[in-house]
Amino acid sequence: DTASAVVAVPAESERFAYCSSGTWSLFGLEVDAPITSEAAFAAGVTNEGGYGGTYRMLSMIMGMWLVQECRRKWHMGDATADYAIIFDVSSAQPFRSLMNPDNPVFFSPGDMPARIQEVCKQTGEPVPQTRPEIIRCVMESLALKYDHVLRQQMAASSRAVDVIHIVGGGAKNKLLCQMTANATGIPVEAGPIEATAIGNGLVQLIATGEIADVHEARAVVRRSYPIKRFMPEDTAQWSAARERFARLLAL
């Protein structure tokens, strides 16, 4: 399914990164050969076969699982805990609390708000108290983890990236897309949402000769689906947060 989703990335050049975003985040680069260097090994990337003899240099990162589990906890006895309310973090101070979203304590179902608070306490971060504070902590930390992984991948592959394509359900999340652009300093293009199904269909059209190749397929996607572009903002603040986040990852 990820291979199909990457075919549906509406890229215009080879200098792109992709994020197939949903419950988990599959973040990577499309490369011509497996990257098996010591730097790639240290970064923990995989090399998965892609369409047309390409490879997906890929890292698996936490996704909306944290928010889904927070919502499940909050929804107990509170029918107002829907996503429109949850992602309104305007009342929370930016960068108040950060944490490693890939901490193993988060992987199983449970009381996610309490786990996030406990992890922040253990690492010396201010403990988020309100819903907006907890969700801002999750989203900022996730965007900073995207940035961290992307930098590792670019260094290991010697590839430059001009744009990040977020496809899948996460493409609907304006907060995630904007924060990813802010954290990385790279424009983000969001969409299509149903990338896996679209990519699968496009490969079949290539096989039957209706479409010439993957480059034409991606051009078809750009013409056929709305693509939302997010430009980096507040880059100085995010750069300062990057250094703080790196220290947390080292704990």
Side-chain angles (χ1 to χ4, degrees), residues 192-209:
I193 297 167
E194 299 295 340
T196 295
I198 294 166
N200 183 288
L202 289 169
V203 170
Q204 295 183 60
L205 289 171
I206 294 171
T208 59

Side-chain angles (χ1 to χ4, degrees), residues 7 91 151:
V7 170
S91 64
R151 290 174 184 275

Side-chain angles (χ1 to χ4, degrees), residues 94-95 98 136-147 151 175-185 231-246:
F95 308 114
L98 297 174
R136 184 177 278 277
C137 171
V138 168
M139 300 302 287
E140 289 176 342
S141 299
L142 186 58
L144 287 165
K145 190 60 181 287
Y146 286 177
D147 172 68
R151 290 174 184 275
L175 184 64
L176 174 66
C177 294
Q178 186 61 63
M179 285 187 171
T180 301
N182 296 350
T184 60
M231 297 301 296
E233 300 175 354
D234 304 321
T235 52
Q237 291 183 356
W238 282 88
S239 179
R242 181 184 300 130
E243 297 179 10
R244 176 178 157 203
F245 183 74

